[in-house]
Amino acid sequence: MKTVLILGAGIAGPTLAFWLRAAGLQPTLIERAPELRSGGYVIDFWGHGYDIAERMGLITEINRAGYHVQELRIVDDRGQRVTGFGTKVFSELTDDRYVTIRRSDLSRLLFEKIRGTTEVIFDSEIVKLEQQPDGVQVRLKHAGERRFDLVIGADGLHSGVRGLAFGPQHQFEKHLGYVVAAFEVRGYRPRDDDVYLMYGRPGRMLGRFTLHDDRTLFLFVFAAKGGSLPSTLDLQKAMLRKTYGEGKWECPQVLQRLEETDELYFDRVSQIRMESWSRGRVALAGDAAFCVSLLAGQGSALAMISAYVLAGELASADGRHEEAFSNYETRLRNYIHGKQQGAERFASAFAPRTAAGLWFRNQVIRAFTIPGVARLMTGRDIVDTLQLPDYRWPLLQELPSGARSLA
């Protein structure tokens, strides 16, 4: 039984661990954070990611934790509706297999599926990695040295595995010219259930979304030139106050509530583009390999697809990693490239940089109310063209529940 070290307990990592166990391999999952992350932002979940979740027996839980958004609504300075559209077309294009869910909730549900089958080590990471002919020797922060047959980096946009095995991030990162921030608060008013509200000025957008348990999510997207971003919470909040301080609508109220939070997601909107997703006995999955950007809306589903295909190819190749890694890329590279191109087109729609760009974006959205237009304009990005392989999973029916977690 081959041993596989997986870095990252977000989306790709737990999915990969589940399917590796189903294939008869022995995964170990390591997460840099001391516990599963909470908060963050919401994602739209459909397509093959939804299909894989169904095969994992998670659809009931996902729909219970998620939301069925009815409308995207763009508002003006006074909160009056400027334009918007209903989401019925997305339900039609996906046969009602479409849900909005907090990314952290999806991660938690995936993690629950590997309880009892996978060794999990929190508050650790690889600090040294040495590939050898018959395995990979790793030194772990707080957990000593270990040896594995394979190492998989599923540790996101800022992947530590990618940095150790392939080189620094700047070699592979493509900035899309925006910064994104998100936080949640409890008890915010007003609340608009199942409606995603967006307020925009040139080069910046503020979104509000009502969550369960009297919580509200705020999403900031704003244009930003290259250069380093503030790394401390105080400086990140200061940047948001400066960028949105003159905004109307609910900007003053939201910035006031910003001061309450100590959990602020704050990052550059980027893609990862690599000529190869593997090197020797090390491979990458999800955002670590091909981040399409947070604004693409499909990052979590693509992470699950890549994890499923990588595990399936390792199973089909009887663990011959060179063959499996090659087949993994062959199946997915063109598909992922198309998603990255679509994400580049889509990113500027969140926060057009000029007043004219805002006006044009709103006209496009207004056209979605014309029968057939929304289907025509979004169909190619909503409907998956990839054929999801059917692999043999000899231990799928034997997977128990309950996980061994080591702090």
Side-chain angles (χ1 to χ4, degrees):
M1 181 180 292
K2 281 191 176 290
T3 58
V4 184
L5 176 63
I6 306 168
L7 274 293
I11 303 298
T15 306
L16 179 60
F18 177 91
W19 291 108
L20 287 177
R21 285 295 296 145
L25 283 79
Q26 182 180 337
T28 294
L29 184 66
I30 291 183
E31 168 57 44
R32 182 186 300 116
E35 59 187 9
L36 290 179
R37 302 175 191 272
S38 60
Y41 48 90
V42 295
I43 60 169
D44 295 323
F45 191 64
W46 76 92
H48 287 325
Y50 195 104
D51 297 336
I52 293 167
E54 185 173 51
R55 297 181 187 189
M56 296 173 71
L58 280 173
I59 292 305
T60 298
E61 291 88 345
I62 285 174
N63 278 290
R64 183 181 299 123
Y67 307 84
H68 293 86
V69 180
Q70 301 299 311
E71 180 189 5
L72 170 69
R73 182 187 305 164
I74 295 179
V75 299
D76 62 16
D77 289 350
R78 297 175 297 169
Q80 299 298 308
R81 187 180 188 276
V82 174
T83 186
F85 60 89
T87 60
K88 182 179 179 181
V89 64
F90 301 131
S91 296
E92 293 174 350
L93 287 168
T94 61
D95 295 324
D96 287 325
R97 297 165 64 81
Y98 183 100
V99 63
T100 298
I101 187 171
R102 295 166 78 216
R103 185 183 183 279
S104 56
D105 284 340
L106 178 60
S107 174
R108 173 180 53 81
L109 291 172
L110 290 168
F111 186 81
E112 289 298 319
K113 296 300 292 188
I114 63 171
R115 286 191 179 277
T117 66
T118 300
E119 177 188 12
V120 181
I121 305 174
F122 284 102
D123 193 24
S124 191
E125 59 185 306
I126 295 180
V127 295
K128 184 178 180 181
L129 181 154
E130 181 183 350
Q131 295 206 53
Q132 299 171 348
D134 59 348
V136 186
Q137 189 77 17
V138 301
R139 182 181 301 163
L140 302 176
K141 182 180 179 182
H142 307 317
E145 292 207 2
R146 301 274 295 270
R147 185 177 181 83
F148 298 88
D149 292 310
L150 304 172
V151 172
I152 309 296
D155 47 345
L157 172 64
H158 305 290
S159 169
V161 175
R162 186 180 61 236
L164 289 170
F166 296 84
Q169 179 160 323
H170 68 81
Q171 296 182 6
F172 314 109
E173 183 176 12
K174 178 177 182 178
H175 303 309
L176 298 188
Y178 293 89
V179 171
V180 63
F183 75 99
E184 296 177 12
V185 298
R186 189 179 299 277
Y188 184 88
R189 298 294 183 272
R191 289 173 63 83
D192 296 89
D193 291 335
D194 297 328
V195 177
Y196 196 99
L197 291 100
M198 291 174 55
Y199 167 74
R201 303 301 299 160
R204 56 195 186 275
M205 183 280 290
L206 172 62
R208 170 164 65 80
F209 186 72
T210 296
L211 301 173
H212 302 313
D213 301 321
D214 199 25
R215 299 189 68 82
T216 299
L217 168 71
F218 301 102
L219 179 71
F220 305 81
V221 179
F222 58 97
K225 297 180 180 179
S228 60
L229 293 178
S231 58
T232 66
L233 181 61
D234 287 346
L235 292 178
Q236 291 168 353
K237 289 182 178 181
M239 189 174 191
L240 291 175
R241 288 194 299 269
K242 180 179 178 180
T243 304
Y244 290 84
E246 298 180 359
K248 307 294 185 182
W249 185 48
E250 298 174 11
C251 287
Q253 184 177 347
V254 173
L255 291 176
Q256 184 177 6
R257 298 301 300 270
L258 173 66
E259 300 309 311
E260 303 173 11
T261 187
D262 56 4
E263 293 186 5
L264 175 66
Y265 176 88
F266 192 97
D267 206 349
R268 195 183 311 279
V269 178
S270 298
Q271 293 184 340
I272 294 296
R273 299 199 173 195
M274 305 182 68
E275 293 183 0
S276 176
W277 300 338
S278 66
R279 178 168 290 177
R281 291 176 172 271
V282 178
L284 303 173
D287 282 354
F290 53 72
C291 179
V292 295
S293 90
L294 178 146
L295 299 183
Q298 282 188 281
S300 294
L302 296 177
M304 293 180 66
I305 293 168
S306 71
Y308 174 86
V309 172
L310 178 54
E313 293 301 332
L314 283 167
S316 298
D318 291 327
R320 295 186 297 275
H321 62 276
E322 301 98 332
E323 177 183 334
F325 292 165
S326 176
N327 291 338
Y328 160 61
E329 286 202 43
T330 298
R331 285 191 181 275
L332 293 183
R333 181 164 287 280
N334 288 340
Y335 172 71
I336 294 298
H337 180 66
K339 295 296 184 181
Q340 287 183 323
Q341 288 183 315
E344 279 194 89
R345 295 192 302 268
F346 190 60
S348 60
F350 273 85
R353 296 172 184 268
T354 65
L358 273 173
W359 177 87
F360 180 76
R361 189 276 311 273
N362 291 345
Q363 301 311 305
V364 171
I365 291 177
R366 188 168 285 118
F368 275 30
T369 60
I370 302 173
V373 171
R375 177 182 292 270
L376 178 65
M377 297 181 68
T378 64
R380 67 174 179 172
D381 292 321
I382 294 294
V383 178
D384 270 324
T385 57
L386 176 75
Q387 183 174 355
L388 196 65
D390 284 319
Y391 297 107
R392 180 175 174 271
W393 307 106
L395 301 185
L396 182 59
Q397 301 304 319
E398 301 177 20
L399 294 180
S401 59
R404 185 158 63 99
S405 297
L406 307 177

